Amino acid sequence: MKKYDYLIVGSGLYGSTFACMAARSGKKCLVIDKRSQTGGNLYCENVEGINVHKYGAHIFHTSNKEVWDFVNSIVEFNRYTNSPVANYKGKLYNLPFNMNTFYQMWGLTTPETALAKIEEQKREAEELMCAEGVSEPRNLEEQALLLVGRDIYEKLIKGYTEKQWGRKCTELPAFIIKRLPVRLVFDNNYFNDKYQGIPIGGYNKLIEGLLKDAEVMPDTDFFHDRERWMNIADKIVFTGKIDEFYSYCFGKLEYRTVRFEEEVLSTPNYQGNAVVNYTEATVPYTRIIEHKHFESFGAEVYDNPYTVISREYSTEWSEGMEPYYPVNDTRNSQLYQQYKELADMEENIIFGGRLAEYKYYDMAPIVESVFKHFND
């Protein structure tokens, strides 16, 4: 008999949710994490009484009532509604693309005129491609032009996307944006999901609740004593980089990462919104997050005389940096499939989460993935 039913490598949302579900099934879990804190990229640090999302803004959203009830059974969530704003050369546009955006862009006030304007610009893109003998979009730029037309693309997509990926839109594959939401209503709610919010008191409360029945060891690197960890439990749940698990035998997968520039300001309200995207190519950062707006609303924003902002800079990933976004081009997709074939042959190892599955995940689908494992 081994000491644990599960060794869980990584205490991010996948690992922590797995630990919670396993404990509810009567299993004994050990969770190890190479960081000094739990929670992975959900970790928050309290700065001047504000829960700062240290690894980027996280907004929980889902239409799955089972998932929503589950996370709220751990910690109550607030009413935060994601309504980002885009700043292009000092002018503000509401996101996602909706009637407020079209009024700001063209001065149009009715759905009929807005739709006609978008269709007119889409036809222009189709005609240009047709003149070049092209029937399918060859890159992200052509795909975006076919979806929303030139004005929205040039002002709200092009610069932001090129900063995010570090490549020109003409060099990015079209499938990155298979669709762009266009809403012919005055609605700034970014998500279509029925439920959304932030844990009251921050994401640390959620992680602490998920891990309360597990043994947890931070500052513990799986790869520093791999043989020991491989033999301490009946099964291993691995949430780290899948290529690292297999010693990069096929080569290294590529990522994009984000650098954060955090600043404490002696003002209660810097930008009036949690998320402002900077879509102009000449602005080096992609967005500014003002963290207090995730948990303070209306007049209560002014209860705290300070605010904390984070400027986000998207960069190429290299060793020692936190890998954020998989680069899902042909080369990396094929490389991941080679690793996945190895993983599929493992009987006692479960690979889960964005790094182990080389897949960008929203939070709710991560929880759903763990549910599926325990329900199968």
Side-chain angles (χ1 to χ4, degrees):
M1 290 291 293
K2 295 186 178 179
K3 188 175 180 181
Y4 300 96
D5 296 297
Y6 291 103
L7 169 73
I8 300 172
V9 183
S11 64
L13 186 58
Y14 188 97
S16 297
T17 303
F18 198 103
C20 179
M21 296 298 291
R24 291 184 179 185
S25 301
K27 303 298 184 182
K28 187 176 181 181
C29 299
L30 171 63
V31 181
I32 64 173
D33 199 298
K34 65 182 180 181
R35 294 180 183 175
S36 59
Q37 73 276 340
T38 58
N41 287 358
L42 287 184
Y43 175 71
C44 293
E45 180 182 356
N46 191 282
V47 180
E48 297 292 348
I50 298 162
N51 289 312
V52 175
H53 298 210
K54 295 298 289 186
Y55 299 95
H58 289 83
I59 300 142
F60 201 98
H61 58 98
T62 184
S63 291
N64 186 324
K65 190 174 188 301
E66 181 186 13
V67 168
W68 185 246
D69 288 345
F70 170 76
V71 295
N72 275 269
S73 74
I74 306 297
V75 58
E76 184 181 358
F77 278 58
N78 67 20
R79 66 161 184 83
Y80 176 77
T81 300
N82 191 30
S83 303
V85 173
N87 183 315
Y88 179 77
K89 295 185 177 181
K91 186 171 181 179
L92 301 180
Y93 299 86
N94 288 108
L95 299 174
F97 311 135
N98 68 79
M99 285 303 300
N100 288 307
T101 321
F102 308 142
Y103 176 74
Q104 293 151 352
M105 183 76 65
W106 299 307
L108 303 176
T109 58
T110 67
E112 182 181 9
T113 56
L115 182 60
K117 183 70 172 178
I118 294 169
E119 291 299 324
E120 174 191 340
Q121 294 205 348
K122 288 166 63 176
R123 282 195 300 273
E124 291 174 0
E126 290 173 356
E127 290 169 1
L128 182 60
M129 287 177 58
C130 185
E132 295 180 2
V134 177
S135 58
E136 295 292 332
R138 296 166 292 186
N139 51 55
L140 186 147
E141 177 168 289
E142 292 178 349
Q143 177 72 82
L145 291 171
L146 289 176
L147 291 170
V148 292
R150 185 162 298 278
D151 287 348
I152 293 174
Y153 168 71
E154 293 284 355
K155 293 183 178 180
L156 303 182
I157 298 173
K158 185 176 187 292
Y160 186 92
T161 303
E162 291 185 346
K163 287 188 292 186
Q164 187 177 38
W165 291 99
R167 296 161 178 78
K168 292 185 180 300
C169 288
T170 52
E171 298 171 0
L172 291 167
F175 68 78
I176 290 179
I177 52 167
K178 294 180 180 178
R179 57 182 295 273
L180 288 168
V182 172
R183 299 180 184 168
L184 298 173
V185 291
F186 290 89
D187 180 7
N188 299 324
N189 182 354
Y190 192 79
F191 300 122
N192 289 315
D193 289 308
K194 187 174 182 179
Y195 311 105
Q196 65 179 297
I198 305 287
I200 295 174
Y203 278 100
N204 294 359
K205 298 283 187 182
L206 175 64
I207 296 299
E208 289 165 7
L210 291 170
L211 292 175
K212 69 180 179 65
D213 294 318
E215 187 177 333
V216 181
M217 292 178 59
D219 294 309
T220 304
D221 192 328
F222 172 82
F223 294 103
H224 286 176
D225 197 355
R226 177 173 179 147
E227 185 176 352
R228 175 195 175 196
W229 299 122
M230 288 290 290
N231 292 286
I232 202 170
D234 292 330
K235 290 190 176 182
I236 295 172
V237 178
F238 186 79
T239 70
K241 292 160 52 189
I242 190 170
D243 54 349
E244 185 177 16
F245 184 87
Y246 288 111
S247 303
Y248 308 107
C249 62
F250 299 124
K252 292 187 177 183
L253 293 163
E254 295 176 295
Y255 298 87
R256 293 288 290 174
T257 190
V258 182
R259 177 174 64 86
F260 302 97
E261 188 179 86
E262 187 179 305
E263 188 175 358
V264 179
L265 303 174
S266 298
T267 180
N269 193 359
Y270 175 73
Q271 63 186 17
N273 204 45
V275 183
V276 177
N277 293 352
Y278 284 77
T279 59
E280 189 179 347
T282 54
V283 177
Y285 42 85
T286 54
R287 63 183 185 175
I288 295 179
I289 304 298
E290 187 171 9
H291 299 268
K292 74 177 344 182
H293 293 293
F294 290 127
E295 297 184 66
S296 298
F297 310 105
E300 66 187 28
V301 169
Y302 292 88
D303 292 343
N304 186 333
Y306 295 97
T307 195
V308 182
I309 63 170
S310 297
R311 295 179 181 87
E312 297 187 4
Y313 299 81
S314 182
T315 62
E316 291 289 336
W317 175 84
S318 60
E319 289 294 338
M321 303 174 76
E322 178 63 32
Y324 276 85
Y325 306 110
V327 179
N328 296 124
D329 58 13
T330 301
R331 180 257 175 193
N332 284 286
S333 296
Q334 291 176 347
L335 184 57
Y336 167 66
Q337 284 302 316
Q338 290 180 277
Y339 285 117
K340 186 176 185 303
E341 288 173 9
L342 290 182
D344 288 342
M345 292 188 289
E346 304 281 4
E347 293 185 1
N348 296 315
I349 304 174
I350 298 161
F351 293 85
R354 65 185 177 91
L355 299 180
E357 298 179 62
Y358 198 63
K359 174 182 178 181
Y360 178 76
Y361 264 117
D362 281 330
M363 288 180 284
I366 286 180
V367 176
E368 290 174 355
S369 177
V370 177
F371 282 4
K372 185 176 185 299
H373 174 85
F374 282 91
N375 292 332
D376 283 350

